[in-house]
Amino acid sequence: MLDLERLRALHSVATYGSVSAAADVLHVTTSAVSQQLAKLERETGQKLLERNGRGVRLTDAAELLVTHAEHILSLVERAQADLEAHRGTVVGRLTLGAFPTAVRGLIPGALGRLHREHPDLSVQLQELDPYQSMPLVVRGDLDMAIVQDWDNEPLPNPEGLQRGAICDDVADVALPPGHPLAGRAEIGLKELAGDPWISSSPGSVCCAWLINTLRGFEAEPRIAHMAYEIPTQLALVAAGLGSAILPRLGRCDVPPGVTILPLRPAMTRRVYAVWREETARRPAVRAALAALRTGLPPL
């Protein structure tokens, strides 16, 4: 009989490319993973890993076993979800990823409600950009991710994931002190296309959206500085170093001298949750989605 945890260790090595990376994901030592794989080799009578330079590679037998392990682990996850659904109570552990403004403006209230209403549910949160969190949900390292995309630049929805809408979040523009258009009641983003910009970190959803949107106005973006956190971006705007897009979700205090103007036409991003189809019946997933939709801040 194949041991499930040993299959999980092999699958993690195949997914993440090394024993040490698998150990990090599984929250165990590299020695523990190596021991699991050695036991699996004895169990199967097959060599599963071979040296490849400083790393390892999977043998043909291991590749075959990994294919079966994917199906087995998926079935186990589905069985666990069905059992929780049959029990009808919100229990167990839920791993959650969310982007920074959602962590600040949406998650604390939702997790507080879950803690009060479902004390037998343990939730573990990680702050991650959607480009990071969605692959982790696909691979099973996260149960759910709170992600965002924009009306003019939707995120692809990977096969095997379901999604549930949470809210629409309107974005304004933050102008630095003394900006010549700061006296306007509203402004078009096209009018600011040639400005220097304070953007989110490179490789993030918001950075990619800003660059592609400005290029749509036939202007090559002038990204002056990059910072992931909105308070840091606003501090740079207040120093006169550029303008920034400011979503209303999770908005912090605006520094003196910074002007916030609504955009026309409005720029809106969608905030939604994603989870694997295998876990859709888990009461914990449904409870988390309900908590995220309840008591939303005014946007």
Side-chain angles (χ1 to χ4, degrees):
M1 180 71 69
L2 294 174
D3 182 89
L4 187 62
E5 292 309 311
R6 294 167 196 165
L7 287 177
R8 196 184 305 279
L10 178 64
H11 183 263
S12 296
V13 172
T15 301
Y16 298 102
S18 71
V19 172
S20 59
D24 289 341
V25 170
L26 296 172
H27 305 293
V28 297
T29 64
T30 55
S31 175
V33 173
S34 297
Q35 289 175 25
Q36 292 280 39
L37 295 176
K39 290 177 181 177
L40 188 58
E41 286 186 332
R42 292 196 295 270
E43 200 170 57
T44 59
Q46 301 276 349
K47 189 170 182 60
L48 301 176
L49 296 181
E50 294 178 340
R51 287 288 177 189
N52 183 28
R54 294 186 177 181
V56 295
R57 72 173 186 87
L58 272 65
T59 64
D60 291 344
E63 294 283 3
L64 177 64
L65 192 54
V66 165
T67 300
H68 290 291
E70 289 177 352
H71 295 297
I72 293 167
L73 294 172
S74 176
L75 286 171
V76 169
E77 186 172 45
R78 191 183 296 272
Q80 290 173 334
D82 286 346
L83 284 171
E84 287 186 23
H86 180 73
R87 182 178 176 182
T89 54
V90 180
V91 296
R93 182 171 177 265
L94 187 78
T95 52
L96 177 67
F99 59 94
T101 48
V103 170
R104 183 168 58 249
L106 181 64
I107 298 298
L111 294 192
R113 283 187 291 275
L114 285 172
H115 179 70
R116 292 190 300 272
E117 297 172 9
H118 307 290
D120 293 328
L121 176 66
S122 171
V123 181
Q124 183 182 59
L125 171 68
Q126 294 184 57
E127 185 175 281
L128 297 166
D129 188 79
Y131 286 156
Q132 299 171 306
S133 62
M134 287 188 77
L136 294 178
V137 176
V138 172
R139 292 199 297 251
D141 300 324
L142 289 177
D143 296 315
M144 176 182 281
I146 312 307
V147 300
Q148 50 147 324
D149 63 14
W150 297 81
D151 285 343
N152 62 333
E153 193 162 328
L155 278 176
N157 194 54
E159 184 179 356
L161 292 191
Q162 295 183 0
R163 63 169 62 186
I166 297 174
C167 65
D168 288 338
D169 186 18
V170 177
D172 301 313
V173 64
L175 300 179
H179 194 285
L181 300 179
R184 301 271 293 274
E186 58 186 35
I187 198 167
L189 188 57
K190 185 176 182 179
E191 299 176 78
L192 303 168
D195 281 16
W197 286 92
I198 313 300
S199 169
S200 184
S201 298
S204 66
V205 165
C206 287
C207 180
W209 169 81
L210 178 62
I211 290 173
N212 292 336
T213 300
L214 293 175
R215 283 176 177 163
F217 299 133
E218 299 182 355
E220 186 58 30
R222 296 171 56 199
I223 306 299
H225 303 283
M226 293 183 174
Y228 205 26
E229 285 290 342
I230 293 292
T232 305
Q233 293 179 26
L234 284 174
L236 294 170
V237 174
L241 301 176
S243 302
I245 296 297
L246 187 62
R248 295 179 185 176
L249 179 65
R251 182 169 296 184
C252 59
D253 293 337
V254 177
V258 174
T259 300
I260 307 298
L261 291 182
L263 291 164
R264 293 292 180 269
M267 296 287 177
T268 304
R269 62 179 183 174
R270 293 178 292 261
V271 179
Y272 54 95
V274 295
W275 58 88
R276 291 181 302 287
E277 292 175 351
E278 291 89 346
T279 63
R281 294 192 63 206
R282 284 190 67 190
V285 169
R286 297 199 296 270
L289 185 60
L292 289 161
R293 288 171 169 170
T294 302
L296 288 168
L299 300 176

